[in-house]
Amino acid sequence: LELRRMSVGREHRGHGLAQALCREVLAFARARGYSAVVLSTSVVQVAAQRLYEGVGFRRVGASYPLLLCTLLNFQVLRYRHDLGDGAK
């Protein structure tokens, strides 16, 4: 299952909502038999990286999606959270 475009409004940050949303996505995927949840974020999204790593995601790769990104050293980071014996 791919988690895409998760965001919490600035006025609601710092209250654990993003962490709760991540845990809910993991529970949703696990209940439906998925073996993992994957996502991407950028190297500048340090708070997002901490969030994902804090709920058990591990970094599995990085890439430069465009030549300009390579020149600017702007990486897209890939994360994965394995869920166990899922079938999908």
Side-chain angles (χ1 to χ4, degrees), residues 15-61:
H15 302 288
L17 293 174
Q19 192 174 54
L21 286 169
C22 280
R23 288 197 172 112
E24 188 63 28
V25 167
L26 294 171
F28 176 91
R30 191 176 286 114
R32 284 153 184 81
Y34 286 91
S35 61
V37 176
V38 297
L39 61 88
S40 298
T41 192
S42 71
V43 71
V44 299
Q45 298 293 328
V46 177
Q49 293 170 48
R50 280 193 297 249
L51 167 70
Y52 299 135
E53 291 169 7
V55 295
F57 282 84
R58 60 184 170 82
R59 192 182 305 181
V60 295

Side-chain angles (χ1 to χ4, degrees), residues 8-20:
V8 173
R10 287 190 192 278
E11 66 277 11
H12 300 293
R13 292 180 188 166
H15 302 288
L17 293 174
Q19 192 174 54

